Amino acid sequence: MSFKAFATDYIKAQSPGWKNPKHRQQWTNTLTTYAYPVIGDLPIDSLDQSHILKILRPIWNGKTETANRIRSRIENILDAAKVEGLRTGENPARWRANLKHVLPKRADVAPVKNHPAMPYADVPQFMAELRIKNSTSARALEFTVLTAVRTSATIGAVWDEFDFDAKLWTVPAERADVKITDGKPRFVPLCKRALEILDSFRERTDDSPYVFPGGKLRYPLSNMAMLNLLHDMRSDFTVHGFRSSFKDWASECTRADNIVSEMALFHVVKDETERAYRRGVLLEKRRKLMRDWEGFCAQPPAKRDGVVTPFRKKERA
């Protein structure tokens, strides 16, 4: 059997279990672009390390993340082929004790770059300018800053995720954080201004299921819409960077426990003690923190010198 034929069957068999429906298309697209031209027609039992390197070397330095995803996908496919008796021997696409000795480390050729973040002291001025703009992307960006979520959480939001009585937003795991592996949703306590933004969209007459609809009927806002608006206003920063602005503000201008702001950002809590602490979701503590963040964002820009949010008395767990 050829690699392409087996890979096609593998994707068809595995995709019903993938939580993100886009994964099937991503697998197919990357293999079609990079792998099939090199090994697609070759017998799957004939592939060795030289074939894998012929795929990876041309893109490893310039498209490192893409190259590593392709490597991982080929590794999974070849592992499955071995289980089905179509291959023997070691997997030539495996990184550990194999490709790591002939390819540079990903961190060396594609170091992690932090998203440029607006200094938190500048956020009130920015929010004041943002509030006077009248567009879906402006309200979506304001909502994103106030809730400290990722772009994907906002643009994919649908009305069924919101409990207006509880003032709570339930974000599915696949949109909350790419690193979430437990499959559990995350919860966002909604401040007053966030609820006002939602209310302003509830009276729409279109039939889009999305809170922040895009230009095409029944499609969400583009994932570039907020970034384009932000770059028109402040070209040096990213939407994701506001999460860092929020974290810096919470660390420097409040006495909220670190775990409270970490949970507000949906970060994975690794420490055993903190994991036990987080079981209560810390929802009320997070509500207070997000109300304080809303108040900070709404402060008149002229009052933003120095520490603008008074320290709270530290609450006991």
Side-chain angles (χ1 to χ4, degrees):
M1 180 177 285
S2 71
F3 175 81
K4 182 178 180 180
F6 185 84
T8 301
D9 289 345
Y10 176 87
I11 293 170
K12 183 178 180 180
Q14 294 294 320
S15 59
W18 293 338
K19 294 174 184 177
N20 189 335
K22 293 182 180 179
H23 285 173
R24 178 171 183 164
Q25 193 61 47
Q26 290 168 345
W27 273 64
T28 300
N29 288 348
T30 54
L31 292 174
T32 299
T33 301
Y34 300 102
Y36 294 161
V38 179
I39 62 174
D41 295 331
L42 297 180
I44 198 165
D45 63 348
S46 71
L47 302 183
D48 58 28
Q49 189 186 82
S50 67
H51 295 114
I52 308 304
L53 290 174
K54 190 174 181 180
I55 297 169
L56 299 181
R57 275 184 168 146
I59 59 173
W60 188 258
N61 293 344
K63 299 179 179 179
T64 311
E65 287 304 315
T66 298
N68 188 60
R69 290 191 186 102
I70 295 166
R71 182 207 61 75
S72 177
R73 289 164 185 168
I74 295 174
E75 180 183 359
N76 288 336
I77 291 167
L78 296 184
D79 275 345
K82 184 175 181 179
V83 170
E84 295 196 21
L86 298 177
R87 280 185 59 85
T88 59
E90 296 298 320
N91 191 324
R94 184 164 290 120
W95 177 256
R96 188 172 298 178
N98 183 39
L99 293 179
K100 67 174 294 185
H101 297 301
V102 291
L103 291 172
K105 294 180 181 178
R106 291 159 55 198
D108 292 339
V109 294
V112 176
K113 297 180 180 179
N114 293 324
H115 296 271
M118 184 179 296
Y120 69 82
D122 293 339
V123 171
Q125 173 68 51
F126 171 78
M127 294 293 274
E129 297 174 23
L130 182 62
R131 281 192 294 271
I132 64 176
K133 292 185 176 293
N134 185 23
S135 66
T136 299
S137 55
R139 296 291 72 77
L141 179 54
E142 184 183 0
F143 182 83
T144 301
V145 174
L146 290 170
T147 53
V149 298
R150 291 174 168 80
T151 294
S152 59
T154 295
I155 64 174
V158 294
W159 292 111
D160 289 346
E161 294 171 0
F162 295 90
D163 184 335
F164 288 93
D165 292 331
K167 301 177 182 179
L168 196 66
W169 177 22
T170 302
V171 182
E174 62 269 20
R175 291 208 331 273
D177 188 341
V178 295
K179 296 180 181 178
I180 287 178
T181 58
D182 60 14
K184 296 180 181 179
R186 274 20 183 197
F187 304 100
V188 181
L190 298 168
C191 65
K192 181 179 178 181
R193 176 57 186 162
L195 289 166
E196 289 174 353
I197 293 172
L198 293 174
D199 283 338
S200 72
F201 282 87
R202 292 175 79 182
E203 303 303 321
R204 290 199 325 266
T205 57
D206 64 73
D207 60 351
S208 173
Y210 296 100
V211 175
F212 301 104
K216 295 182 179 179
L217 185 64
R218 300 187 67 79
Y219 277 81
L221 193 67
S222 163
N223 63 355
M224 292 298 293
M226 291 189 286
L227 181 61
N228 290 338
L229 172 62
L230 174 58
H231 281 180
D232 287 342
M233 299 173 68
R234 302 285 195 282
S235 61
D236 296 335
F237 306 115
T238 65
V239 176
H240 192 93
F242 282 107
R243 290 164 53 81
S244 294
S245 305
F246 166 78
K247 179 64 179 182
D248 291 344
W249 165 82
S251 299
E252 297 181 25
C253 297
T254 80
R255 295 200 180 212
D257 292 327
N258 179 65
I259 190 175
V260 178
S261 59
E262 286 293 282
M263 289 196 66
L265 294 168
F266 304 154
H267 284 169
V268 176
V269 181
K270 297 180 179 180
D271 180 80
E272 290 291 341
T273 302
E274 290 195 340
R275 275 208 296 270
Y277 186 19
R278 69 177 286 189
R279 288 175 190 155
V281 191
L282 304 179
L283 201 54
E284 291 310 310
K285 291 178 182 289
R286 288 175 55 201
R287 281 192 190 279
K288 293 177 182 178
L289 182 63
M290 302 317 288
R291 283 199 298 265
D292 286 349
W293 175 237
E294 174 193 24
F296 171 74
C297 290
Q299 285 187 355
K303 293 184 179 180
R304 60 189 175 90
D305 295 330
V307 178
V308 291
T309 303
F311 283 139
R312 285 180 170 274
K313 182 178 180 181
K314 190 167 185 177
E315 298 176 86
R316 301 176 66 182

